[in-house]
Amino acid sequence: MTTSKLTPWTKLLSRRFSDVTEQYGPNSHAVVCALETMGDTQWLQRVGEPWLDTPGESFDENRVKVVRSWEEALTIFGKDSRYDDPRYNVNGVLQAPCDRIDPVFARVPEREGWWQKAREEATQYTTLTGWAPKSLDQEYRNLLFEHLYEFVSMLLAENIASPEVECTYFREQLTWFHAGHFPCGWDGDWPNGRMRIF
């Protein structure tokens, strides 16, 4: 089994590009970094494998709960009544961080247009086919596709709404998706608790 290398989201979103305009608003540089990072992300290619911290950086293991199977990871979709968790929306995304973004967008209506433009751009940077394990039922593969689309959408929204949104949930997930893992929800009452990672 190989190990994957984790790069903190702060590094992923601070790469330097000289030709960035303000097409996505004042935080265009972070949005461009997010789009570029998605282009070289190993979507779900290292689920269940161990990881290595970037030299000089470390991840607090008290902030991460390791998930050991697809069955456990997919409980975010609530398809089994034992795991029906109202904290997650229909796409298996934790709703509380999403709820922090809407009021920020409402205060500056231009953000909606910047977000829509970024979402359109994201389609060229994300590979949405071939990454879902063939061993999963088609229903779960479809749910994973929708989950990834929702993640990308909320990551871009969180970047555009920063710093007023006072939330880094989706940016923190980017670290794990980029390394090929599956951040699959939250253990605890967000923002207290820890991210679940497969």
Side-chain angles (χ1 to χ4, degrees), residues 63-126:
R63 299 278 300 151
V64 173
K65 177 182 180 184
V66 177
V67 171
R68 307 224 179 260
S69 69
W70 275 113
E71 181 181 10
E72 186 181 355
L74 297 174
T75 59
I76 59 175
F77 297 118
K79 291 308 215 181
D80 183 328
S81 61
R82 294 175 297 165
Y83 300 112
D84 193 14
D85 190 336
R87 297 178 307 154
Y88 300 100
N89 67 23
V90 69
N91 293 317
V93 173
L94 193 64
Q95 188 61 44
C98 298
D99 291 342
R100 288 197 178 182
I101 294 170
D102 291 338
V104 175
F105 268 49
R107 286 194 297 273
V108 180
E110 295 86 12
R111 286 184 172 134
E112 185 74 31
W114 299 332
W115 180 49
Q116 293 301 333
K117 183 174 179 55
R119 288 174 67 197
E120 289 169 17
E121 290 290 319
T123 58
Q124 68 178 314
Y125 293 97
T126 54

Side-chain angles (χ1 to χ4, degrees), residues 93-108 111-112 115 150-162 164-171 190:
V93 173
L94 193 64
Q95 188 61 44
C98 298
D99 291 342
R100 288 197 178 182
I101 294 170
D102 291 338
V104 175
F105 268 49
R107 286 194 297 273
V108 180
R111 286 184 172 134
E112 185 74 31
W115 180 49
E150 181 88 354
F151 160 74
V152 167
S153 185
M154 296 314 299
L155 170 68
L156 296 170
E158 187 179 84
N159 273 293
I160 289 169
S162 180
E164 297 117 288
V165 75
E166 297 179 355
C167 173
T168 59
Y169 180 74
F170 297 102
R171 287 173 282 183
W190 187 87

Side-chain angles (χ1 to χ4, degrees), residues 7 12 14 20 25 31 33 40 42 47 49 51 56 82 85 88 104 108 118 121 129 135 143 169 191:
T7 305
L12 293 172
S14 63
V20 175
V31 172
C33 287
D40 61 8
Q42 301 177 47
V47 293
E49 295 179 8
W51 58 79
R82 294 175 297 165
D85 190 336
Y88 300 100
V104 175
V108 180
E121 290 290 319
T129 58
S135 61
L143 287 168
Y169 180 74

Side-chain angles (χ1 to χ4, degrees), residues 4-8 11 51-59 175:
S4 55
K5 184 177 174 185
L6 298 177
T7 305
K11 274 193 178 154
W51 58 79
L52 292 174
D53 294 340
T54 300
E57 306 278 347
S58 65
F59 289 87
T175 292

